[in-house]
Amino acid sequence: MLRGYFDVLTFDENGGVTGRYRVGSDTANIGFETPRGTWHTLLAGSDGGAFLEIKQGPYDPATAAEFAPWAPPEGHESVPAFQQWLWRAQPGSAAYEPGAPDPK
C-alpha cells in the first residue's frame, strides 16, 4: 500500500527536467510507470511516506543503482543545493548547475 505522496521527476540525458508528477494518497495518481532508460528521482512530500519501486528482472547488482553523470556524487558538498533545486525544478528547467539561479 502506498502511504503519503511523492513527486516523481524525470530528466533528459543532460539533466533537464522533462516531467514532474505527484503520486500517492490524496492525489489523482496511485502509481507511476517510468519509461525504460529514463533518469528519475522521487521526492517524499510527507513524513512516513512509503513507495514501492519494481524493476523488471533478472536482478543485476551492477546496474541496480545507476547515478546520473550530471548529478553530484553522493556525499559531495553540492548535494544540499542540488536537493533544494529538485524541490523547485519544473518541466523545462535546465540541468542543475552549482551557483546558477533558481529554475524556471
Side-chain angles (χ1 to χ4, degrees), residues 26-42:
D26 298 324
T27 74
N29 306 301
I30 61 166
F32 182 81
E33 186 170 347
T34 306
R36 185 180 201 110
T38 301
W39 291 113
H40 62 283
T41 194
L42 300 174

Side-chain angles (χ1 to χ4, degrees), residues 81-95:
F82 177 68
Q83 290 173 327
Q84 289 301 311
W85 176 85
L86 290 171
W87 282 106
R88 297 183 302 267
Q90 297 296 321
S93 295

